[in-house]
Amino acid sequence: MPYVISIVAARVEREYFFGKSPIVIGRLPKNDIAIKENSVSRQHAQIVEAGGQFFVEDLKSTIFVYLNKRKVLREALKHGDIVNIGGAANLIFLLHPDPPLLEKLIREITDNPEFSAEAMALKRAMVSLADEIVHQEPADASSPQTSQSGELAR
C-alpha cells in the first residue's frame, strides 16, 4: 500500500497510508494531509490513483507543487519521489516499505540546505517576483523614456 512521509521544517512529522483516492493536501484541518503553514494553500494539491498509477496534481495553489525540485501541475509519481508543497513541507512517496531509501531521502532533505525552510522561502520569493515582472503592464509608449545615462530620449 503506497504511503507518504511528511517532513516539515527539516523534521519528520508523520506517515500517511493511502486507503482512498484522492488524498487532498493543504492547510485546512479537514484535508487528508494538513500542513499548518501560511505558504500552503487551503487545498494545495492532491495525490490521485488512475489506472494503477499515482499522480500528484496542483490544485491551482499560489506557491506551486514541486516534484523532485521541478515545478509540476500533474505528474506521475515513482517510488522515492519527493513532493514539495508550497515550500513548507516535503512528502516522500513510497510504493512499499523501503527503510534504506527512506533513511537516505530523509537525510538528503534534512541535511541539504536547498531543502531548508529558508531556501524554499527564497525560491518562493523569486517565483513571485518573476510572476510580477511577467504580468507587469508595459510602459506607455507615449511617455518619455530615459536612456541609461538618465537623459530623456528624443
Side-chain angles (χ1 to χ4, degrees):
M1 174 188 307
Y3 64 103
V4 296
I5 310 294
S6 71
I7 301 172
V8 179
R11 197 176 82 234
V12 176
E13 291 281 313
R14 140 165 215 219
E15 288 180 281
Y16 298 90
F17 292 89
F18 293 26
K20 66 177 187 110
S21 178
I23 302 294
V24 180
I25 305 160
R27 195 175 65 238
L28 293 176
K30 71 176 186 171
N31 290 321
D32 300 302
I33 300 177
I35 302 167
K36 298 173 188 158
E37 294 287 333
N38 289 337
S39 65
V40 175
S41 297
R42 288 174 285 181
Q43 290 190 319
H44 198 101
Q46 64 183 1
I47 296 174
V48 296
E49 182 180 13
Q53 190 165 14
F54 290 89
F55 296 84
V56 63
E57 295 178 348
D58 190 323
L59 296 176
K60 299 180 182 173
S61 65
T62 54
I63 311 233
F64 312 114
V65 173
Y66 292 86
L67 176 60
N68 300 322
K69 302 179 192 174
R70 211 172 36 86
K71 185 171 115 176
V72 297
L73 296 176
R74 183 178 199 272
E75 194 75 34
L77 290 168
K78 299 181 307 301
H79 182 72
D81 277 346
I82 298 172
V83 178
N84 182 276
I85 304 295
N90 288 295
L91 305 176
I92 299 172
F93 177 81
L94 297 171
L95 289 168
H96 54 80
D98 191 341
L101 177 62
L102 181 59
E103 183 179 332
K104 175 185 172 275
L105 293 173
I106 289 172
R107 194 171 339 131
E108 180 182 316
I109 291 168
T110 57
D111 291 351
N112 188 339
E114 188 175 338
F115 279 118
S116 72
E118 294 83 10
M120 296 311 291
L122 181 58
K123 184 182 245 183
R124 284 193 309 274
M126 289 171 42
V127 166
S128 179
L129 180 59
D131 190 48
E132 283 180 36
I133 291 168
V134 167
H135 293 96
Q136 196 172 44
E137 294 287 323
D140 184 5
S142 65
S143 65
Q145 302 214 348
T146 58
S147 67
Q148 287 183 349
S149 65
E151 298 175 4
L152 283 176
R154 301 191 196 264

